[in-house]
Structures are given as structure tokens and as C-alpha cells.
Amino acid sequence: DGGITQSPKYLFRKEGQNVTLSCEQNLNHDAMYWYRQDPGQGLRLIYYSQIVNDFQKGDIAEGYSVSREKKESFPLTVTSAQKNPTAFYLCATRTGVTDTQYFGPGTRLTVL
Amino acid sequence: GNSVTQMEGPVTLSEEAFLTINCTYTATGYPSLFWYVQYPGEGLQLLLKATKADDKGSNKGFEATYRKETTSFHLEKGSVQVSDSAVYFCALGGNTPLVFGKGTRLSVIA
């Protein structure tokens, strides 16, 4: 079954704990992206990676970190420095051929 | 820089009504244009796209035409259904991450 997997669907953490959100793809796409979506709001870009072992900050990178050690995987860590981490997090990919982005199903993070 | 402006919602329509969601853009060059749809609790799905001026993207009864002269990419559907209730995002392509509008929530009532 091809596509983008984000796990888990729902995640709960206590305030002050770091948490890592998973994003895996078997589409062989080069670029991967992380977005944050707050209720009733649009998408805000956190980080993106166009190739393995390289990534760039997006508009709201503070309090987040990423790694891109494999083409298939782009995990996002929400650190305790992120002031208001409760949100819906979306991962996306893009081929190197077109600029169409494809999205995973999302992870809803709630910090208690 | 590149930007997208789409009409604010929410938009509420009766079933079988005509839908228009306006989207205008500012960009250098000739980027691709996209409409994505997001159903409650899900990720975004590509609805349609157009890659050059005067192209028309279409899918599931939705259409949008890339208008360079008015820098617009308005989404239209002739007869909406309850199942079309969702949030719709206009987006601008290029060599960098897509630039998204803020989204327009559509509610269709029976």
C-alpha cells in the first residue's frame, strides 16, 4: 500500500516533554515538509527537506527540530521550547519532477 | 514575494447551488496553481491543478481556470452536494514549498 504514513493519529503528552512525530513515505519522493494547522486556521510551514541530510527552516521553526537521515523518513520533534504545541501536524512530500505536494493523514498532538 | 488571497468563509450553500470560491495570487514568473480540499480530521487532498495560463483544471465536477490577466484561479462547481462540505485551499507552486491561502470552509445543507 503506497503513500504517506503519519503515526500515531492522536498523541497526548505532558507539558515540558519532548515528543517526536513520525512521517514515512514509500513514494520515492525527494522533498518532504512539515506543516502546523491550528483550529480554523491555514497551514504554516515548520521545516522542509529537499534531499537527504539537508533541511531548511520554514516560517515557524522555533521549538521544533527535524532530521532526514533516510529518503523515506522525516521525523519532527516538538521540544519543550515550543510554547503552544497543541495543534494538527501535517507531513507532505513532493517529487523532483513536479511541484505537486501530497499530504499524509496528519497527527493531532495535545499537550496537557 | 509570492502570495495567495482567497475569499474568507464560511460559505454556506443549499444542495445543488452554484459554488464559487475566489482565489487571486501574486507571483513572479508563471507558477502552477492548485486547489486542495481538506475533510474534517484529515490531511489535504489535491483537487485540481493548472500549470500554465488558460489551462483549466477539473475534477469531481469542480473546475478552475488559470487566468494570467486577472491573476486568478477561482474554484467553481455547478451543483454542490452535502458531501462537498470541507475546507478548500488555493495554493501557488514553484521551486519552493507551495504557498497556501488561508482556506475557505464550505458547508452544504440538504
Side-chain angles (χ1 to χ4, degrees):
Chain A
D1 193 25
I4 304 166
T5 303
Q6 291 187 246
S7 59
K9 179 75 171 171
Y10 299 95
L11 192 53
F12 297 88
R13 281 294 181 271
K14 291 183 178 179
E15 195 171 346
Q17 290 182 335
N18 290 359
V19 58
T20 298
L21 281 59
S22 166
C23 180
E24 303 282 330
Q25 56 108 352
N26 61 6
L27 302 170
N28 200 33
H29 287 179
D30 294 310
M32 297 185 74
Y33 307 83
W34 275 106
Y35 292 89
R36 170 181 171 139
Q37 187 177 31
D38 293 284
Q41 303 297 310
L43 304 175
R44 292 187 288 171
L45 181 66
I46 305 172
Y47 269 99
Y48 65 102
S49 167
Q50 299 192 77
I51 55 171
V52 174
N53 292 322
D54 188 43
F55 49 82
Q56 288 80 42
K57 292 182 180 179
D59 301 318
I60 56 163
E62 184 175 350
Y64 299 97
S65 65
V66 293
S67 62
R68 186 86 187 276
E69 297 176 0
K70 299 185 301 182
K71 190 174 186 177
E72 301 81 15
S73 180
F74 191 41
L76 173 75
T77 297
V78 185
T79 75
S80 56
Q82 169 50 233
K83 299 290 184 226
N84 186 16
T86 294
F88 189 49
Y89 290 86
L90 288 160
C91 177
T93 70
R94 182 175 117 171
T95 75
V97 176
T98 76
D99 52 3
T100 303
Q101 286 182 203
Y102 299 90
F103 284 81
T107 292
R108 186 167 300 281
L109 172 65
T110 302
V111 175
L112 305 172
Chain B
N2 293 355
S3 66
V4 172
T5 303
Q6 62 181 103
M7 63 187 284
E8 302 232 351
V11 174
T12 302
L13 296 174
S14 297
E15 206 165 24
E16 299 183 3
F18 185 85
L19 168 71
T20 300
I21 300 178
N22 290 338
C23 172
T24 58
Y25 66 91
T26 302
T28 54
Y30 305 101
S32 299
L33 294 168
F34 304 82
W35 277 102
Y36 284 83
V37 58
Q38 184 180 33
Y39 298 102
E42 298 183 8
L44 276 67
Q45 299 176 23
L46 177 66
L47 181 59
L48 53 85
K49 67 181 282 189
T51 57
K52 60 183 186 296
D54 300 324
D55 264 3
K56 178 185 283 188
S58 61
N59 186 25
K60 300 181 182 179
F62 291 89
E63 294 182 340
T65 301
Y66 190 159
R67 301 283 189 202
K68 180 169 170 290
E69 63 277 12
T70 55
T71 61
S72 65
F73 193 56
H74 304 322
L75 182 68
E76 297 182 336
K77 186 175 187 184
S79 176
V80 294
Q81 305 300 311
V82 172
S83 57
D84 294 326
S85 297
V87 180
Y88 293 82
F89 291 91
C90 185
L92 184 69
N95 293 326
T96 55
L98 295 183
V99 175
F100 287 89
K102 295 186 176 183
T104 302
R105 181 175 299 279
L106 170 66
S107 295
V108 180
I109 53 178

